[in-house]
Amino acid sequence: MIIQRVVLNSRPGKNGVPVAENFRLEQSTIADTLQAGQVRVKTLYLSVDPYMRCRMNEDTGSDYLRPWQLAEVADGGGVGVVEESKHSNLGKGDFVTSFTWPWQTVAILDGNLLQKLVPQLVNGRLSYFLGAAGITGLTALLGIREKGHVAVGANQTMVVSGAAGACGSLAGQIGRLEGCSRVVGIAGTDEKCSILVQEMGFDAAINYKKGDVAKQLRELCPDGVDVYFDNVGGDISDTVISQMNQNSHIVLCGQISQYNKDVPYPPPLSPDIEKIQKERNITRERFLVLNYMDKQETSVLQLCQWIQEGKLKVRETVVEGLANIGAAFQSMMNGGNIGKQIVSVSK
């Protein structure tokens, strides 16, 4: 069977900025027959995520991320529908997902590595299983629950950087649902800030490209910052940390401002900021959602319930066509999208 797939065409270099041309669309073939336990799936949606920048390097800098190989198909979160099955628990028409879905139109996969989906849990929006009801939502929810130490009635203020992104836009809302009394987002355009406040229930949002961020933060968080959901690192995080309270907590989710730099993860803080962290007893521990998969099922059900009740607003930036996945990746890394970046492969 002839299919289309996307392979890694070139590496941007450890300190390079990725571009669409780092990926290449090509034709390939897959077997016409299945082995026992295999299923043939048609790809519906693929997820494009910041962590993938690390996979473009020969060395990802992480013990749990495998680098993409040149001229080989890329992979990540995906959702599809079973077209043929030789797996006892999966049948034709079932919707399935995997964290290692190949970027191709049709694939033959090991059925044991697929998770069956219930579309009704997300009101039929299957792409949500790659975002708000998938790893992205789990990262926001479990990050806050495991590292944020949010307590109802504690009058805590949360700040979220990268707040208009896939994880940040959910984290701010979840922080409020979990008990924070005030949530402030940091984003890169007035449009994003407006969406955070008017649509997603943030109390306020700061456009970090305008004005004095430190001054705005002091005005919007007069009682200091108790929980910081950190998606970006760099100067923005230094500014937030300098205004955090005694015994406060950083949820170290991502460091997208550092992904095009050859630095360790998590990047070390500057001496001045590290001194503040230690003096104020601010926790800053690496958070990896894959370490909490024993809580996946109940957490996904919680996320789906909030979605169904309208308590969790979901934004997606959808790009049509597998051929455009490289451009979608470039746009996401440049901060051009709002919410989750999704590529719709086939209807």
Side-chain angles (χ1 to χ4, degrees):
M1 177 183 292
I2 298 174
I3 63 163
Q4 288 187 316
R5 68 178 193 171
V6 171
V7 302
L8 184 64
N9 187 50
S10 59
R11 301 188 191 277
K14 281 193 172 184
N15 298 304
V17 177
V19 294
E21 290 74 24
N22 292 134
F23 300 96
R24 181 178 75 247
L25 181 72
E26 63 179 26
Q27 280 196 344
S28 186
T29 60
I30 60 172
D32 292 323
T33 58
L34 301 179
Q35 303 297 317
Q38 291 184 328
V39 296
R40 187 178 76 244
V41 293
K42 179 172 73 172
T43 304
L44 299 178
Y45 299 101
L46 294 171
S47 175
V48 180
D49 302 285
Y51 82 87
M52 293 174 171
R53 172 62 185 87
C54 304
R55 302 191 66 189
M56 299 180 79
N57 297 332
E58 289 185 79
D59 179 4
T60 65
S62 169
D63 54 3
Y64 68 92
L65 286 179
R66 180 181 60 84
W68 287 329
Q69 300 301 315
L70 288 173
E72 291 190 8
V73 66
D75 68 298
V79 166
V81 60
V82 176
E83 293 187 321
E84 183 183 353
S85 175
K86 284 195 174 181
H87 189 279
S88 58
N89 294 329
L90 296 171
K92 183 177 180 179
D94 284 344
F95 295 105
V96 291
T97 188
S98 168
F99 193 57
T100 55
W101 196 288
W103 287 7
Q104 55 193 60
T105 50
V106 180
I108 294 175
L109 303 176
D110 181 350
N112 290 329
L113 302 180
L114 298 174
Q115 181 181 354
K116 190 185 295 188
L117 301 174
V118 181
Q120 293 84 354
L121 289 176
V122 289
N123 302 322
R125 298 291 297 270
L126 287 167
S127 58
Y128 283 12
F129 285 115
L130 296 176
I135 288 290
T136 309
L138 286 171
T139 299
L141 176 58
L142 291 173
I144 289 169
R145 287 184 171 176
E146 299 296 328
K147 300 295 185 180
H149 303 276
V150 174
V152 176
N155 197 33
Q156 292 165 298
T157 294
M158 172 185 280
V159 171
V160 183
S161 58
C167 199
S169 60
L170 299 172
Q173 298 179 74
I174 291 170
R176 174 61 57 77
L177 290 167
E178 289 289 284
C180 285
S181 59
R182 185 165 183 78
V183 178
V184 175
I186 301 175
T189 69
D190 288 342
E191 178 193 10
K192 290 178 178 179
C193 290
S194 177
I195 288 170
L196 291 174
V197 174
Q198 296 180 16
E199 184 178 315
M200 297 183 171
F202 283 63
D203 292 285
I206 296 169
N207 181 348
Y208 70 87
K209 295 180 180 179
K210 286 186 175 181
D212 185 332
V213 174
K215 179 182 177 184
Q216 293 178 73
L217 202 59
R218 282 192 295 271
E219 292 171 350
L220 294 172
C221 306
D223 297 322
V225 178
D226 302 294
V227 184
Y228 173 38
F229 199 97
D230 184 6
N231 286 301
V232 302
D235 292 341
I236 293 295
S237 289
D238 289 352
T239 301
V240 177
I241 294 170
S242 68
Q243 297 189 33
M244 295 187 73
N245 293 326
Q246 194 75 22
N247 302 318
S248 54
H249 305 282
I250 299 170
V251 182
L252 193 59
C253 179
Q255 302 281 277
I256 194 169
S257 73
Q258 308 298 303
Y259 286 170
N260 295 326
K261 301 177 182 178
D262 185 13
V263 295
Y265 184 85
L269 297 172
S270 67
D272 289 346
I273 300 301
E274 185 177 16
K275 182 180 179 182
I276 289 173
Q277 180 205 352
K278 291 180 177 178
E279 287 178 348
R280 299 180 191 172
N281 192 35
I282 302 170
T283 64
R284 183 182 184 258
E285 300 168 343
R286 184 176 182 176
F287 171 73
L288 179 60
V289 70
L290 299 178
N291 290 337
Y292 299 91
M293 285 296 98
D294 59 316
K295 301 180 180 180
Q296 177 184 14
E297 186 174 351
T298 56
S299 298
V300 167
L301 289 175
Q302 174 66 84
L303 292 163
C304 290
Q305 181 181 336
W306 282 335
I307 292 170
Q308 290 176 339
E309 294 173 349
K311 294 179 178 178
L312 195 59
K313 308 294 184 183
V314 182
R315 272 273 187 156
E316 292 180 323
T317 300
V318 181
V319 173
E320 299 289 339
L322 184 62
N324 295 315
I325 198 166
F329 186 85
Q330 180 179 343
S331 175
M332 176 204 61
M333 289 302 298
N334 290 335
N337 59 301
I338 298 175
K340 181 71 177 181
Q341 179 77 68
I342 297 288
V343 175
S344 175
V345 178
S346 58
K347 297 294 184 182

